[in-house]
Each structure stands twice: as structure tokens, then as C-alpha cells.
Amino acid sequence: MIGLQILQRQRAVGLDLAKRYLDVPVANVSDCMARMSAGGAHLRPMHGGGRMAGPALTVKTRPGDNLMIHKALQLARPGDVIVVDAGGDLTNALIGEIMVGDAVRRELGGFVIHGAIRDAGAIRAGAFPVFAAGVTHRGPYKDGPGEINVPVALNGMVIEPGDLMIGDDDGLLCVPYAEAEALLAAALQKQEVEAQMVAEIANGTYRAPWIDETLRRLNCPVQE
């Protein structure tokens, strides 16, 4: 039944590949995806810091209800990132310290909550990745409905079950399952280029000819 169902995930990015993304800034991956995908700037890291990378176990729930999130915790495998589409509503918190503790025990990869959390101090004091849209002390309901392992969308960023979810201090990004290998290679190459730029800035040899080239192409007058 649409709106109340628990499905099996048909495929998932491997943990070995996911872990290689922990060495790559989200911004570099985003640049290699033409800067066209994002979960929104309001989805921020709520934990003490550190990168996240793991296959998505998706949850779609009505705002303010966490029944299916509890079930997702039972179904999740080590390394999974539980991605919750709760419509971005901040009225009720969907997870807190207890559920995060359970996720840590199960060796999951993180939480992404398109909604609110609580127990923010305890979560901020820990390293377990939690990304959310806000904080409130008001607790959740546990009545459903909801769905597990269905496509979800966070501000237009579509996440299919098993896609790769990555996150760092700059925010979140979904890497489609079929593109994960190729995008990692492209992001690592971009990282090398940027490392060279940083080194050139440090030693005073950095040049950016593209700036004047672009201005000339735009026929922009430049007074000498």
C-alpha cells in the first residue's frame, strides 16, 4: 500500500567504495556533478564533526512521526545511512540521543533527517554523523504512516535506496548508485588540481588567466 509499506532494498553501494569517499570533500564531488544536486543549505551537521559516507536506507514518514525510523534502525546494516524525508517540518523531533546511541551500537553510517532532532547537546558532543534541518524539544508521535526503501527527495535531491550519501561541514550530497565509481575518480582528480592551486598560492606562483579570458569573451571594458 502506497504510504504504508516496507520494501527490500534491491542494491546498495559497497562499503569499501563508500569509505573511499571519506577522503574527498563533498564540494569536490558536487563540482563534478555540475553543481546541480543538493539537499539544501538548511540540512546541517549536528554532530561534533567528521565526514559521512554510506549507502542510503530511505524512510518516508509523515511530519512529526518516527515509527518507521525505529523500524529502519532494526533493518539497517552496518555502514548504512538512514535518510528520512519528513517534509522538512520542525514541529516535532524525530530522533534524539537514544536513537543515535542505538545507531552507534549497530555501527551505522549516519542519520539524515529532513526534519528536526532533539538532545542536540549530546549529539553535538559525539562524532556519529547526524544531519538535520533543525532542533526542537518536542518529541515525536509513533503512529505512522510511512514507507521504507522507497525513493525520497530532499529539496529536489532524489535519493534511491542504496545510493551513496555523503556529508561534511559543507552539507549533504547523494551520489547515484550507478555513478559512484566514476564520480570518485573525477573528484580525486579535482582534489589533486586544487591541491596544486593551494601550493601555488602558498609559494606565490598562482595565476588565473581564465579571469581575463572570460572578461574578454564578455566584452567587458577594463580601464588600465
Side-chain angles (χ1 to χ4, degrees), residues 18-29 45 47-54 79 81 108-112 126-131 164-172 184 187-188 191 194:
K19 288 178 180 178
R20 292 171 63 194
Y21 272 85
L22 293 172
D23 296 324
V24 183
V26 170
N28 284 3
V29 183
H47 55 294
R51 292 175 179 168
M52 176 186 75
V81 175
L108 303 191
F111 272 118
V112 175
F128 184 81
V130 177
F131 291 78
L164 177 65
M165 288 300 299
I166 60 175
D168 62 18
D169 288 341
D170 286 339
L172 291 163
L184 177 61
L188 288 171
Q191 194 169 7
E194 292 193 353

Side-chain angles (χ1 to χ4, degrees), residues 127-153:
F128 184 81
V130 177
F131 291 78
V135 177
T136 180
H137 56 79
R138 296 175 64 176
Y141 300 99
K142 305 179 187 296
D143 305 307
E147 301 173 282
I148 294 177
N149 284 325
V150 297
V152 298

Side-chain angles (χ1 to χ4, degrees), residues 30-183:
S30 178
D31 285 353
C32 293
M33 295 175 69
R35 305 172 179 91
M36 288 292 289
S37 183
H42 66 290
L43 282 164
R44 305 306 307 158
M46 300 290 177
H47 55 294
R51 292 175 179 168
M52 176 186 75
L57 192 161
T58 61
V59 179
K60 188 175 181 65
T61 185
R62 73 177 176 93
D65 193 286
N66 75 352
L67 173 63
M68 287 299 184
I69 307 175
H70 280 280
K71 185 60 181 177
L73 272 169
Q74 294 180 342
L75 298 175
R77 302 169 185 170
D80 282 351
V81 175
I82 296 179
V83 181
V84 181
D85 176 11
D89 182 81
L90 304 181
T91 306
N92 299 84
L94 297 179
I95 67 166
E97 181 180 12
I98 292 174
M99 294 180 75
V100 169
D102 192 13
V104 171
R105 181 185 67 82
R106 296 174 185 271
E107 299 181 343
L108 303 191
F111 272 118
V112 175
I113 307 293
H114 194 205
I117 66 162
R118 66 178 178 179
D119 303 324
I123 291 171
R124 187 167 53 248
F128 184 81
V130 177
F131 291 78
V135 177
T136 180
H137 56 79
R138 296 175 64 176
Y141 300 99
K142 305 179 187 296
D143 305 307
E147 301 173 282
I148 294 177
N149 284 325
V150 297
V152 298
L154 311 184
N155 284 342
M157 183 176 71
V158 177
I159 301 108
E160 299 273 356
D163 283 349
L164 177 65
M165 288 300 299
I166 60 175
D168 62 18
D169 288 341
D170 286 339
L172 291 163
L173 184 62
C174 174
V175 177
Y177 171 84
E179 307 297 332
E181 285 274 7
L183 279 170

Side-chain angles (χ1 to χ4, degrees), residues 197 201 206-222 224:
M197 292 169 63
I201 289 170
Y206 178 69
R207 301 291 181 268
W210 66 269
I211 299 173
D212 288 337
E213 291 169 2
T214 301
L215 291 173
R216 283 194 294 272
R217 177 172 56 82
L218 295 172
N219 295 317
C220 176
V222 179
E224 299 295 340

